[in-house]
């Protein structure tokens, strides 16, 4: 069955064992996408979408000049004036562009892909994850495969959509004994292949690289090994939310041109520092992108989000983004060294290779080298509730007993966190 909206192509599919029409659920292949008002016309006297022709109704509070609008903090107290004119001057009373070709073109150029037809935009990566599960995996009959410890939304989306989960835990290599990182996490390729051989109902394989919470890349060689494995007829999804914090050339986006059975997810939340605007990205060959586009909500990316994304993808903003990444890498190295210096208080060496903007580190039992999840929880809660320093407890994840995940902050953030962590470890 052809994919609706996709022009016929005579280009052979690679790898030869993959056929996307055998992966997408038949009801999705047959889906005629909703035709929204802006699909056909976006200019002129627009009387087609039942919009409010008088414009938006956002006015500044009394006593605030029209060019200023208060920004609320988490406690809903007005503490900062913020100029919202650029946002309020947008056509907020009109439905947004359903496709955003300019943003897609800039992303394709940035990631080395030939056209915007290789790019899909979602409401964060979470929408992409949910769409992939919905379009590929039949509820009650088929499965996804995940590699714990990994991002928690994969099993959540699976459960919401009533699909099964196969787990192949990452392998943690032994401590190198040289004072460096405590081993590294790696994909057990042979175990993944055995799982595929044992269960033909696996339709999606989610690989988080750099991993969350592992902070470690999965090698392109390992990813290729799964993509090339003939018995697997599904799609490999590589989640690269943290890819910009790793070394250049590490991204699986370089494989998209050669593999129709690959989808690479990225986001503006991390390296771009735009978590609040909720813009996720899928990079894949046009057939899968077209199916995602056919299935998404008609206007999933808002006009303010699109406006800010375009600004973020400008040359000047990209320079700022790259400069911030370098600052984070320097801070990451310094924080890692400072955390190692707390080893005498029962803090272990960081786990994994540091390819993200956080560090995964175990809390040990006092006077031993054994990871202690109970103590780690006490440290985590004391830091948050008594010292106002919030890290993430990950001790219940596979391969991460006693672990805390600490995001690399500003120099001042890191200094405060280290001081509070030292005092907390001394007393707990």
């Amino acid at each position: 069955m052809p994919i609706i909206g996709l022009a016929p192509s005579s280009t052979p599919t690679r790898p030869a064992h993959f056929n996307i029409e055998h992966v997408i659920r038949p009801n999705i292949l047959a889906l005629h996408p909703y035709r929204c008002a802006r699909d056909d016309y976006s200019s002129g006297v627009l009387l087609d979408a039942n919009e409010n022709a008088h414009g938006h109704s956002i006015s500044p509070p009394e006593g605030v000049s029209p060019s200023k609008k208060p920004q609320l903090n988490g406690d809903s107290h007005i503490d900062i004036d913020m100029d919202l004119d650029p946002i309020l001057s947008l056509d907020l009373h009109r439905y947004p562009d359903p496709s955003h070709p300019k943003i897609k073109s800039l992303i394709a150029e940035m990631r080395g892909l030939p056209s915007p037809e290789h790019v899909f935009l979602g409401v964060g990566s979470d929408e992409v994850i949910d769409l992939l599960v919905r379009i590929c995996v039949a509820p009650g009959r088929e499965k996804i495969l995940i590699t714990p410890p990994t991002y928690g939304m994969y099993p959540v989306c699976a459960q919401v959509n009533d699909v099964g989960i196969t787990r192949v835990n990452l392998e943690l290599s032994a401590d190198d004994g040289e004072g460096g990182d405590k081993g590294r996490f790696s994909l057990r390729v042979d175990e993944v292949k055995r799982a595929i051989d044992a269960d033909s109902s696996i339709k999606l394989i989610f690989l988080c690289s750099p991993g969350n919470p592992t902070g470690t890349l999965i090698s392109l060689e390992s990813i290729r090994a799964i993509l090339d494995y003939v018995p697997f007829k599904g799609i490999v999804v590589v989640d690269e939310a943290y890819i910009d914090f790793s070394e250049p050339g590490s991204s699986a986006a370089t494989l998209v041109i050669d593999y129709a059975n690959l989808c690479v997810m990225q986001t503006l939340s991390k390296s771009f520092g735009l978590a609040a605007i909720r813009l996720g990205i899928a990079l894949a060959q046009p057939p899968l992108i077209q199916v995602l586009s056919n299935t998404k909500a008609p206007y999933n990316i808002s006009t303010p989000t699109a406006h800010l994304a375009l600004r973020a993808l400008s040359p000047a903003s990209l320079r700022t983004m790259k400069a911030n990444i370098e600052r984070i890498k320097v801070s990451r190295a310094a924080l890692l060294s400072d955390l190692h210096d707390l080893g005498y208080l029962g803090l272990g060496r960081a786990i994994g290779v540091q390819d993200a903007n956080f560090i995964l580190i175990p809390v040990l039992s006092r006077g031993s080298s054994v990871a202690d999840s109970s103590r780690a929880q006490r440290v985590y809660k004391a830091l948050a509730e008594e010292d106002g320093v919030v890290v993430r407890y990950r001790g219940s994840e596979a391969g991460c007993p006693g672990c805390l995940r600490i995001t690399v902050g500003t120099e001042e953030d890191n200094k405060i966190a280290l001081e509070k962590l030292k005092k907390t470890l001394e007393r707990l």
Side-chain angles (χ1 to χ4, degrees), residues 358-374:
F358 56 83
I359 293 170
L360 185 69
I361 196 160
V363 175
L364 311 177
S365 296
R366 280 187 171 275
S368 83
S369 59
V370 178
D372 187 337
S373 292
S374 176

Side-chain angles (χ1 to χ4, degrees), residues 17 196 202-205 226 229-236 261:
H17 66 267
I196 292 166
I202 296 172
K203 301 294 285 296
L204 295 174
I205 296 175
I226 305 302
Y229 192 53
V230 173
F232 181 55
K233 309 301 183 184
I235 293 171
V236 177
N261 54 343

Side-chain angles (χ1 to χ4, degrees), residues 237-260:
V237 184
V238 181
D239 187 344
E240 294 188 341
Y242 301 94
I243 194 63
D244 291 321
F245 300 106
S246 60
E247 293 303 309
S250 304
S251 174
T254 59
L255 306 179
V256 165
I257 302 302
D258 293 326
Y259 290 96

Side-chain angles (χ1 to χ4, degrees), residues 39 41 45 69 92 132 173 176 219 229 256 268 289 296 327 340 361 372 376 406 427:
D39 277 329
Y41 306 104
V45 180
K69 179 177 174 59
L92 300 181
L132 286 167
S173 61
D176 60 18
S219 71
Y229 192 53
V256 165
L268 297 194
I289 297 298
K296 73 173 182 69
R327 294 171 66 192
H340 284 170
I361 196 160
D372 187 337
I406 303 175
R427 64 185 179 82

Side-chain angles (χ1 to χ4, degrees), residues 1-6 18-33 131-132 134-137 203 235 286-295:
M1 182 184 297
I3 295 172
I4 294 171
L6 184 70
F18 178 75
N19 185 338
I20 192 170
E21 294 178 20
H22 295 165
V23 181
I24 307 302
R25 295 168 56 196
N27 60 306
I28 300 296
L29 278 177
L31 177 68
H32 285 265
L131 277 174
L132 286 167
R134 284 196 284 134
I135 68 177
C136 295
V137 193
K203 301 294 285 296
I235 293 171
L288 180 57
I289 297 298
Q290 184 65 55
V291 175
L292 289 168
S293 299
N294 289 352
T295 313

